[in-house]
Amino acid sequence: MSNEKSCSVVFSKYKEESDNLNLKIYVNRIKSQKEIKFIGIKFDFKLNFNTLVDEIKERCNTRLNLNKILSNKKWSLNQKTLGNLYKSLVGSILDFSFPCLNSFSENNIKKLQAIQNAAVRSILRLKYDTSSNIMHQEAFNKLKLLTVSNRLFELSERYVGTGLSHSIPFVVRLVEEYKEGFESRYIEYPTQLCNCYLTISSFFPET
């Protein structure tokens, strides 16, 4: 293990708790950080993912500009092509955040939805004051786009379902442990598995 490549993060609402740690590799103290990136997802010490959402917004907005340019009539691209471009350039970034869905605040979900709304307006040439309900309906009917929260929920279900159908040990173990206590505990902090109870039940029918 390398001390230079290692760090510690205490996940807590109170940052002061991490200052009391004195973790070491051999004789060298491991540096303490407020956030860390793991497999492409940035975890902050409060696990509210505000930093991650801001990073996603910045990345998406850069690509969104290209989508808006190509939506101009002079490019003669149809709505289906523009929708597929959005899914490839921008939607793929949003999709990657699905493991954090249950930890996203309502405000952060709205920030991500605003990115998709901007793309839908430019692709379908909707007025800026078009209501959210109409926009979401048009996005689904013409571009096959779910709302961001529904899309992330769909990906969560697909991930768990695929893991169970292929008997991936890590997923199976998590689900078995989760299901064992599901009925008997109060869930204060929902996890990804909370969204997938129906999927889990189909693999573990009640006896």
Side-chain angles (χ1 to χ4, degrees):
M1 295 179 65
S2 170
N3 181 271
E4 290 76 16
K5 296 181 180 179
S6 302
C7 66
S8 66
V9 178
V10 175
F11 297 109
S12 169
K13 294 181 180 179
Y14 309 102
K15 183 65 181 77
E16 295 77 15
E17 293 184 13
S18 64
D19 297 332
N20 298 325
L21 288 179
N22 188 25
L23 301 178
K24 295 181 179 180
I25 295 180
Y26 303 113
V27 295
N28 299 312
R29 183 175 180 178
I30 301 174
K31 61 183 177 182
S32 176
Q33 295 185 177
K34 292 184 178 181
E35 58 189 32
I36 188 172
K37 181 171 283 190
F38 180 67
I39 56 173
I41 295 179
K42 187 170 287 186
F43 294 83
D44 58 276
F45 73 94
K46 290 185 177 181
L47 286 180
N48 55 30
F49 295 100
N50 290 340
T51 306
L52 173 65
V53 170
D54 289 340
E55 185 179 271
I56 289 174
K57 279 183 58 181
E58 184 176 350
R59 292 177 62 198
C60 287
N61 285 333
T62 301
R63 300 185 180 194
L64 198 59
N65 290 332
L66 176 60
N67 207 269
K68 289 179 179 179
I69 292 172
L70 295 176
S71 296
N72 192 292
K73 291 182 179 180
K74 71 177 183 180
W75 292 98
S76 301
L77 297 178
N78 59 39
Q79 293 177 351
K80 182 178 180 181
T81 300
L82 291 170
N84 288 335
L85 278 172
Y86 165 79
K87 292 173 185 177
S88 299
L89 296 174
V90 182
S92 57
I93 297 176
L94 299 177
D95 286 353
F96 196 72
S97 65
F98 82 87
C100 312
L101 172 61
N102 286 99
S103 298
F104 283 160
S105 66
E106 183 178 349
N107 187 50
N108 279 336
I109 289 291
K110 287 180 179 178
K111 288 180 180 179
L112 299 182
Q113 185 62 52
I115 296 170
Q116 180 165 297
N117 290 349
V120 171
R121 282 195 197 95
S122 63
I123 293 172
L124 301 182
R125 298 186 176 87
L126 299 176
K127 294 181 179 179
Y128 188 79
D129 59 354
T130 302
S131 70
S132 296
N133 289 337
I134 293 177
M135 187 184 307
H136 297 163
Q137 186 175 356
E138 289 288 284
F140 181 75
N141 291 338
K142 296 181 179 180
L143 303 175
K144 303 303 178 186
L145 283 175
L146 297 170
T147 62
V148 170
S149 58
N150 285 345
R151 171 62 176 170
L152 297 183
F153 172 78
E154 178 188 62
L155 291 173
S156 296
E157 276 203 320
R158 189 184 302 174
Y159 174 81
V160 174
T162 301
L164 292 175
S165 63
H166 290 83
S167 300
I168 296 176
F170 175 72
V171 177
V172 172
R173 180 178 176 182
L174 282 177
V175 169
E176 286 178 342
E177 291 178 354
Y178 182 82
K179 186 176 183 299
E180 184 177 346
F182 186 87
E183 300 292 347
S184 61
R185 72 171 184 266
Y186 169 71
I187 301 175
E188 183 177 1
Y189 301 105
T191 69
Q192 179 180 331
L193 296 180
C194 290
N195 282 341
C196 308
Y197 187 63
L198 292 178
T199 301
I200 292 171
S201 298
S202 67
F203 284 89
F204 297 90
E206 299 294 335
T207 55

